[in-house]
Amino acid sequence: MLDNTTIVALATPEGEGGLAVVRISGPDALPIAHRLFRRRVMGPDTESHRAVYGILFSPSEDEENDYAVDEVLALPLLGPRSYTGEDTVEIFCHGGRMAARQVVTACRKAGCEPAAPGEFTRRAFLNGRISLDQAEAVADLIGAENEAAAQAAVRQLLGGLDGQLR
């Protein structure tokens, strides 16, 4: 791992919708998620790639003043078997502007730094999880405005140029 900060960002577009995903990645992803859950469903014995249900709380100096933010599913993805290659937790919360924003705020109160645009993909590249070619394909896929562009980006993402060069 090349960066010792733990970052958080909304991984889905902000706005009206039934579901939103908030991603935490970095060395403290699991301890931060552990702090956000009252029943401590995330701990040292957390299994990778197995979703857990819980109530996410916004932390305060005094645990008695913590307040419930949302009913969520959390998916721990332990490094190196995550997108970024780092310990990651994806939190599936209710959509809309406020619920997702409050989950991100709770994560920041618990110790996360805000992720810069493209930061998760940058970390995936720096940690050797994807090539530069694939990182560019992620941006192309996100920005694709037609089916042909999306299909070209997916071919690239799945190793098109890297495979040809090998």
Side-chain angles (χ1 to χ4, degrees):
M1 175 171 25
L2 301 173
D3 195 332
N4 65 354
T5 60
T6 300
I7 56 174
V8 64
L10 185 61
T12 51
E14 187 176 273
E16 294 301 315
L19 182 70
V21 179
V22 173
R23 181 180 289 161
I24 304 170
S25 187
D28 294 326
L30 286 176
I32 287 170
H34 177 74
R35 181 164 184 224
L36 296 172
F37 287 89
R38 177 73 74 220
R39 285 195 216 119
R40 307 301 186 225
V41 295
M42 304 286 286
D45 58 345
T46 298
E47 286 185 63
S48 186
H49 296 76
R50 183 173 295 252
V52 292
Y53 162 83
I55 306 298
L56 188 132
F57 284 80
S58 184
S60 63
E61 296 295 319
D62 174 12
E63 194 172 290
E64 289 182 19
N65 291 321
D66 292 0
Y67 61 90
V69 171
D70 198 2
E71 179 180 40
V72 304
L73 283 176
L75 180 63
L77 304 163
L78 303 181
R81 292 180 40 221
S82 70
Y83 178 69
T84 62
E86 306 170 323
D87 285 350
T88 300
V89 178
E90 293 190 350
I91 300 169
F92 298 83
C93 61
H94 287 94
R97 297 192 198 298
M98 283 314 300
R101 191 176 295 156
Q102 285 185 307
V103 170
V104 170
T105 298
C107 293
R108 292 190 59 194
K109 284 182 182 179
C112 290
E113 296 293 325
E119 181 72 10
F120 297 108
T121 299
R122 183 184 77 83
R123 288 180 179 213
F125 168 70
L126 292 175
N127 288 323
R129 294 288 293 152
I130 60 174
S131 66
L132 181 58
D133 190 45
Q134 289 171 307
E136 290 174 351
V138 170
D140 291 344
L141 182 57
I142 291 168
E145 295 198 12
N146 60 56
E147 191 174 335
Q151 288 176 354
V154 168
R155 280 193 303 277
Q156 193 79 5
L157 182 60
L158 297 177
L161 181 59
D162 279 350
Q164 290 174 10
L165 292 174
R166 276 192 221 110

